[in-house]
Amino acid sequence: MGTGRKRRLHFSKIYSFKCGRNRFDDDHSQIGGPGFSRVVYCNETGVAEAASQSYADNYVRSTKYTPMTFLPKSLFEQFRRVANFYFLVTGILSFTKLAPYSAVSAILPLIVVIGATMVKEGIEDWQRQKQDYEVNNRKVKVHRGGGVFESREWKNLRVGDVVKVVKDEFFPADLLILSSSYEDAVCYVETMNLDGETNLKLKQSLEATSTIHDDSDFNHFKATVKCEDPNASLYTFVGTMEYQEQQYALSPQQLLLRDSKLRNTDYIYGAVIFTGHDTKVIQNSTEAPSKRSGIERRTDRIIYFLFFILFLMAFLGSVYFGVVTKRDLDGDRQRRWYLGPDRSDIFFDPKRAPAAAVYHFLTALLLYGYLIPISLYVSIEIVKVLQTIFINNDIHMYYEEADKPAHARTSNLTEELGQIDTILSDKTGTLTCNSMEFIKCSVAGTAYGRGVTEVERAMAKRTGSPLIVNGRDQLLDDHNDEDSTLSVKGYNFEDERVTNGYWFHEPHSDVIQKFFRLLAICHTAIPDLDEETGKVTYEAESPDEAAFVIAARELGFEFYKRTQTTVSFMELDPVSKKRVERTYELLNVLEFNSARKRMSVIVRDEDGKLLLLCKGADSVMFDRLAKNGREFEESTKEHVNEYADAGLRTLILAYRELNEEEYKEFNEKFTEAKNSVSADRDELIDQATEEIEKDLILLGATAVEDKLQKGVPECIDKLAQAGIKIWVLTGDKMETAINIGFACSLLRQGMKQIIITLESPEIIAAEKDGDKNVISKVSKESVKKQILAGKAQLTASTSDPFALIIDGKSLAYALHDDIKSTFLELAVGCASVICCRSSPKQKALVTRLVKEGTGKTTLAIGDGANDVGMLQEADIGVGISGVEGMQAVMSSDIAIAQFRFLERLLLVHGHWCYRRISSMICYFFYKNIVFGTTVFLYEAYASFSGQPAYNDWYLSLYNVFFTSLPAIALGVFDQDVSARFCLKFPLLYQEGVQNTLFRWRRIFGWMLNGLVSGVIIFFLCTRALDPESYRKNGKTAGMEVVGATIYTCVVWVANCQMALAVSYFTLIQHVFIWGGIILWYLFLLAYGAMPTSISTTAYNVFVETLAPAPSYWVVTLFVVIAALVPYFCYKAVQMRFFPAYHGMIQWIRYEGNTDDPEYVNMVRQRSIRTTTVGYTARSIARDNNLYHLNLELQAPK
Amino acid sequence: MNSNPSTPMNAHAPSSSSGGAGSPDSNTPRRNSKRPKYSRFTQQELPACKPILTPKWVISAFMLVTIVFIPIGLTTLFASRDVVEIIDRYDNACVPGSKSQKVQHIQSATSNKTCIRSLTVRKRMKQPIYVYYQLDNFYQNHRRYVKSRSDQQLRNRGDENDTSTCKPENEANGMTIVPCGLVAWSLFNDTYSLSTSNSQLTINKRHISWKSDRDEKFGSEVYPKNFQNGGLIGGGRLNESIPLNEQEDLIVWMRTAALPTFRKLYGKIEVDIEAGETINVVVENRYNTYSFSGKKKLVLSTTSWLGGKNNFIGIAYLAVGGLCFLLATTFTIIYLVKPRHLGDPTYLSWNRNPGGH
């Protein structure tokens, strides 16, 4: 074909694809039936049939609203909240004669509040809209006809179009691959956006279309595809293609999904099958479950409580009103004749007093509505948005290397961050970097590699030996990540005996040579030669594999070229000291899978010798060694165990020489197996490989470190000190998980491990029998027994810390309904819990179990697609925006770049947010109760007729203008203690976990405070002003004067109360608090200056009647102080004699650390005592005599 | 707010960022960096005062309140004591008999409603002496009552028919009432004429109302019309030749009171009255408070800078001042007795019940 085309290898021949075969299996018979009705006429735009189809266009909308639906839909959302609905109803009622105030003044605050929320919604939606616009207007090459491709926006793509996608572009829709730049029409696809996996997936077109390689070929291309209807399943696709009058079956192998990316392939041609919302990825995007925080739920309950109070007040008032009204007319005699009771309308009619009372009830509901803080929800939302901005902008949570700041994706959970009781963490990629480093190896019975792993470091700490490598460690830590000249990613091997070609002088240099050759050959990585620098990089299926190839390269066996039949590498010839090129003929690749736990390649070396090179897990490899291949078995086993102890992943390397007949026999069998179409094909392949992968000669073992992320042990220690329980849920095997547990101090010596596993002989025996029912029964019994035994152990000794380790199989049984609560009790009793070999679903189930079983707040943290369930199930899902793609991040609530940022996220932001929100809500209730109390008391003096003392606008603006801003400022800026102290005294975090700041006692305390303040204000004001004249000029105070005075006092008290409650007084607080008061006076001036028709009773009220009266000022001063004294006393006593934990820290800060080191120690010690995991606990366990912790007495060092 | 490289940057920040860090506000973006810009605001490190209630603060706050309140209390108390106030309840005295007899008497058009009261002045009253009537148990703040008026009508002659809010007192005999509404209709109409032993005391009714009411709320072009012409006569009548803005009794009445017990200014006496003198009051007792068991009082009072006689403010000031003094001493003593009672952390809720290990 075209000369310009790269002739790269035919991978279909390297890999034993199962996909190349196209069989019509059962699925395809359904084509055309229900659910499989889609017909696509490829490349026939304009043809009548194609035009008559009405498939969705490729415009993708992620917005919640369109301009048309925005108003009704968002309004509907708003009024689904009880409080808002109540205000809507009152707003509507305010247009009737029932209303005690004017309709406008009642509606305006509602409009402001709803408007603010809607603006927020609108802005958020607009940002989504912008994203949509960007995506929908991306360009792609589309076949216009006549073999000409033109650029077109994504949104204008139609089903059936033929598109050409070039390297590193996203697919604009679900495409059927027709051909690619490779001859065998394969292409590599990165599906990071779909499943979070970074490794490349291979797709291949039908052979029938793979020959199309030129734009012009599409002039006459025609095909008809019949396939399934749009659905959400990413891994299935059923369809047929009619091409050149032949039917071909289509499989997922031919489908390129939208939002995945073309990699390592110059271009592909594809036909559009699903567009827009029909695409699999969009069908798959479910709305994230909307989560509400515990505080918000409790707030709702308080609102309901207030509603109850409101109804009660209205009810009592109405009864009284009804009785009094009825008494107004006694036959012909009128009592309160000035009310005209004989000529009354229904609202006040003594003759129909019950009806009047009912109407009055409604009026009272409107009037006492000021008890419900109308602006609370919108304030909470505003505050939370600002809090997330703080989180997003925290420079301490910015990860320089990846250029990723923290990102809070939902804003409604910030305070929940301060209440986490249990963290459920993924391991790989979360605790560890998921970057593998080749760190040690054992060749010919000799251990090489001087690198020190995190685990070894931790173990050295554990055993108390002074860490000899400490100094160097620091150095390593500092340089590891940034200094590329010193370290190579994936390689951390240091041993002067081997590096720089010195291996040649080692006793078994021939074995060493074979060992490294094996590393350079036996893999499926693809080299990528940068022609400018001559450097080779690798594209590998797993990070382990990359680490091997890199290690081989660094040690002088540089794999640089792969063709379809050969593997080439450069090697330093020990004799000539020259780099020589070696090319091995690649005959077969025996793939890795989890059942085989090994992979092999069969190659022919330059001398024509046939070699089988094999690497695999120790559990399978040692059994396959030849009698004469076990020379180094003992020492290697020893090393392997050592490595595993150090938290390393090990693989055994072995080889075998084949003779020609043997290979020929095998190859026939293998080829036959591969080409067979029967159901037992896989089995046949297994059989074939089984026979050849035996009698191996052991070379050695490799050890790869799954590196812990930076700062993980420290972070876990801090979190443990904060009293947060940490569970690790991992898919890894038990040994690895335990190793990592040790590395990050979740486990330590002296901790009793309760291990629940199904590896016992009787279970294995039962498994061999294969009766499923028996297996499950026996297994369940066994798990139950182990759990009960664990619990007995737990209750027997309360002083020892326990660790629970459970594997996935047992977990499946432990999660059964009848034993899960027992399991939970056991797990909660343990200091640390590690679940290994757990599936994504189990992770989610465990999360749900903890969340629902304990009723505590849970946080799940993970980075991969397998953590999505867990993240969505937990109260808060934190995604690590690491290398494993975006899936976890997309379904998380908050994304951070590194596990260690969790410390700051929880201990600082979480604590602050929790404190802020809870204080703010309490304050909101306080201020509304103060106000509501005065309104109600006044009613008692107005025979509950529904007449407020306040002008309409005072009423409506109270919540919106004069008192909300300080509360919002509190919610945004308040800090009880600084970030430094939050981190220094992690136990402070328990305030959130125990919910001390938002328990009912505190809430009702604030409400009581509000009630007291309201009563004080009302009675002092009215007693001071009435009935005698209040001014020198002899005039008496009317309703407008009394009302305005009480209102002034309320505004003052509410704002000053705020000033007393704030513990972090920034300029902003000053502006808002004092500004609120000043604003009230300004409002009074401005409003009073308006014409009387607008200002009514407030006309000139300040200038003429209030301000010149000394008594007004005297009363204000007096009432404000009097109303604040109770709270002030309370706070003074509490702060001095019963300080909460944050209070103690405030004292420490205030008095200076040096002031009383004993006290500091004492307070800090608090936070250590309850801790049982983390290295601080470990060090205490060691020097227990220093702290006299009886807890640790039994574990003497 | 300016930040500079000395600000606490991320300790692990590699050198590559320091170029940008020197000028975080510069507009040249460093190759696509999403590094949050440093500002004290976004890092929540704004300078702030972190108040904490130390003994010093608590005691000085209480002492400050004491020091401020006691003098104010004394001053106001003295001011109030200077005020001379004479209160005379006359509703029962003027109409003897049972309640129904009283009601009958007051409602009768023919009965003699004149009533003579005499008041003794115990202390010299310096002019101006304010004359008030005080009503008890009169709900001028009743919603039906408060709303039953038309501010438009009172203000503008043209809005005479704007009486929708005045029901049921909006029209009589098919014609609109000016001023309409229950408030005006129930205008207080007792009259007092005062005399001492040697002279008649003229009661000056000029400027007993608020200036803004006269200027803005009651029109000079609006004259009473069809007032008290209906079947039921409420209270006082108005002179139809005087515009509303000069009907000061009405204006005073129509500023509704806040509470069911209220005083309203009746007039001023602009001569001093010596102690020991007796004031004779001729009351035209027309206003019906008997139906609803209200009280009627005549009040003569001088004023101080603080207004009328009201010991409450002074006493309350002294009480709060004294309380704060008490609290200050109590706190002082407690702090001295238990100088460093450190909050015992064992009282923390989560330590009492140490959660599982």
Side-chain angles (χ1 to χ4, degrees), chain B residues 90-264:
Chain B
Y90 62 88
D91 56 329
N92 276 340
C94 286
V95 185
S98 71
K99 189 183 166 189
S100 54
Q101 284 171 326
K102 284 176 186 164
V103 173
Q104 219 161 31
H105 177 264
I106 203 84
Q107 282 178 339
S108 148
T110 53
S111 60
N112 177 17
K113 295 195 175 98
T114 310
C115 170
I116 313 279
R117 308 285 298 160
S118 66
L119 317 170
T120 316
V121 180
R122 297 234 158 79
K123 213 171 152 191
R124 181 166 186 269
M125 295 176 89
K126 281 173 81 176
Q127 67 95 9
I129 302 163
Y130 295 96
V131 181
Y132 304 92
Y133 52 91
Q134 175 172 339
L135 299 182
D136 274 16
N137 201 22
F138 188 101
Y139 287 89
Q140 247 204 337
N141 57 7
H142 196 284
R143 185 156 66 97
R144 175 170 166 78
Y145 189 81
V146 172
K147 301 280 186 227
S148 182
R149 63 191 286 162
S150 167
D151 288 333
Q152 312 295 328
Q153 188 203 46
L154 297 175
R155 192 163 46 237
N156 284 323
R157 191 168 193 173
D159 293 329
E160 222 172 71
N161 296 325
D162 191 350
T163 58
S164 57
T165 55
C166 286
K167 278 176 189 153
E169 214 41 64
N170 56 333
E171 53 162 47
N173 310 324
M175 295 196 314
T176 49
I177 302 170
V178 182
C180 70
L182 289 172
V183 190
W185 174 71
S186 61
L187 175 63
F188 185 77
N189 59 349
D190 285 6
T191 55
Y192 315 109
S193 74
L194 280 66
S195 58
T196 54
S197 52
N198 43 20
S199 68
Q200 186 73 20
L201 291 171
T202 29
I203 298 179
N204 182 358
K205 291 209 169 210
R206 263 184 74 79
H207 293 182
I208 56 173
S209 61
W210 292 105
K211 189 169 183 298
S212 65
D213 282 0
R214 296 194 299 271
D215 293 353
E216 300 291 334
K217 292 191 179 166
F218 292 82
S220 55
E221 302 285 297
V222 188
Y223 291 89
K225 210 162 91 186
N226 197 25
F227 189 64
Q228 302 290 23
N229 271 349
L232 271 170
I233 312 291
R237 294 170 188 279
L238 293 173
N239 184 343
E240 300 209 345
S241 59
I242 302 175
L244 286 187
N245 72 334
E246 288 172 26
Q247 309 259 14
E248 293 213 28
D249 278 326
L250 178 76
I251 296 173
V252 169
W253 179 254
M254 293 204 52
R255 268 224 175 185
T256 46
L259 298 172
T261 299
F262 60 88
R263 276 178 206 177
K264 286 195 181 283

Side-chain angles (χ1 to χ4, degrees), chain A residues 1027-1080:
Chain A
E1028 74 292 325
S1029 104
Y1030 75 105
R1031 278 182 67 166
K1032 181 140 181 63
N1033 67 6
K1035 295 198 170 56
T1036 53
M1039 189 188 276
E1040 72 291 339
V1041 172
V1042 174
T1045 309
I1046 298 178
Y1047 195 90
T1048 308
C1049 292
V1050 169
V1051 169
W1052 267 94
V1053 168
N1055 281 294
C1056 291
Q1057 175 71 59
M1058 174 98 292
L1060 280 185
V1062 165
S1063 47
Y1064 188 76
F1065 237 114
T1066 63
L1067 189 67
I1068 296 163
Q1069 250 98 12
H1070 281 293
V1071 167
F1072 282 164
I1073 291 177
W1074 313 125
I1077 297 173
I1078 292 168
L1079 192 66
W1080 155 240

Side-chain angles (χ1 to χ4, degrees), chain A residues 76-343:
Chain A
F76 175 73
E77 285 293 320
Q78 286 302 308
F79 291 121
R80 272 176 26 178
R81 280 201 161 130
V82 182
N84 284 345
F85 181 71
Y86 164 78
F87 286 111
L88 178 69
V89 172
T90 57
I92 292 166
L93 282 179
S94 66
F95 285 98
T96 67
K97 288 189 81 176
L98 284 170
Y101 39 66
S102 67
V104 190
S105 69
I107 288 290
L108 185 87
L110 187 68
I111 290 175
V112 169
V113 165
I114 298 290
T117 324
M118 276 170 58
V119 165
K120 179 191 155 236
E121 286 278 304
I123 289 173
E124 281 177 3
D125 218 45
W126 182 61
Q127 277 164 351
R128 281 191 286 264
Q129 157 79 34
K130 272 204 310 203
Q131 267 175 10
D132 283 357
Y133 182 83
E134 192 270 319
V135 168
N136 286 319
N137 285 292
R138 285 189 198 157
K139 294 277 174 61
V140 66
K141 289 248 191 279
V142 182
H143 183 233
R144 193 179 62 190
V148 182
F149 280 70
E150 62 171 13
S151 257
R152 203 183 286 172
E153 285 96 13
W154 280 24
K155 62 180 174 190
N156 292 330
L157 223 50
R158 293 281 170 275
V159 171
D161 284 348
V162 169
V163 297
K164 180 181 184 180
V165 179
V166 300
K167 195 173 179 175
D168 292 334
E169 270 186 354
F170 288 101
F171 300 120
D174 288 356
L175 307 178
L176 186 75
I177 178 170
L178 297 172
S179 68
S180 81
S181 52
Y182 293 111
E183 230 160 48
D184 49 355
V186 295
C187 72
Y188 293 91
V189 173
E190 183 189 87
T191 55
M192 201 161 82
N193 284 341
L194 302 179
D195 52 15
E197 291 170 28
T198 40
N199 55 323
L200 303 182
K201 303 221 166 53
L202 206 67
K203 301 270 179 177
Q204 190 178 29
S205 79
L206 293 176
E207 257 178 88
T209 59
S210 65
T211 51
I212 311 173
H213 287 303
D214 260 350
D215 288 4
S216 54
D217 291 346
F218 282 94
N219 199 5
H220 303 293
F221 175 81
K222 271 193 178 46
T224 308
V225 174
K226 293 182 178 168
C227 67
E228 61 184 18
D229 288 342
N231 62 55
S233 167
L234 289 176
Y235 305 106
T236 63
F237 176 69
V238 175
T240 58
M241 181 160 89
E242 201 184 307
Y243 177 59
Q244 291 170 346
E245 281 157 25
Q246 265 206 298
Q247 289 270 333
Y248 301 93
L250 298 173
S251 71
Q253 193 58 36
Q254 281 87 44
L255 196 66
L256 306 173
L257 299 179
R258 185 187 166 117
D259 280 358
S260 47
K261 202 179 199 177
L262 185 67
R263 297 293 299 273
N264 282 12
T265 314
D266 290 338
Y267 59 85
I268 59 110
Y269 292 104
V272 177
I273 303 293
F274 297 121
T275 45
H277 289 269
D278 290 345
T279 56
K280 299 222 174 222
V281 61
I282 292 183
Q283 293 264 319
N284 223 313
S285 63
T286 45
E287 291 244 325
S290 83
K291 298 175 180 177
R292 299 200 70 206
S293 72
I295 287 209
E296 248 177 88
R297 287 194 296 268
R298 185 167 278 193
T299 305
D300 284 348
R301 284 210 287 282
I302 302 172
I303 297 260
Y304 293 136
F305 171 75
L306 286 181
F307 269 119
F308 169 73
I309 299 285
L310 167 69
F311 277 70
L312 188 72
M313 280 162 51
F315 176 74
L316 292 179
S318 307
V319 169
Y320 180 89
F321 174 79
V323 170
V324 172
T325 306
K326 188 159 181 60
R327 274 174 44 196
D328 276 347
L329 202 61
D330 181 11
D332 263 353
R333 282 191 26 225
Q334 305 179 17
R335 285 169 55 84
R336 291 189 292 182
W337 57 268
Y338 52 89
L339 298 176
D342 55 330
R343 312 163 271 174

Side-chain angles (χ1 to χ4, degrees), chain A residues 944-955:
Chain A
F944 289 104
S945 59
Q947 175 63 38
Y950 310 128
N951 184 288
D952 299 349
W953 288 100
Y954 303 173
L955 283 172

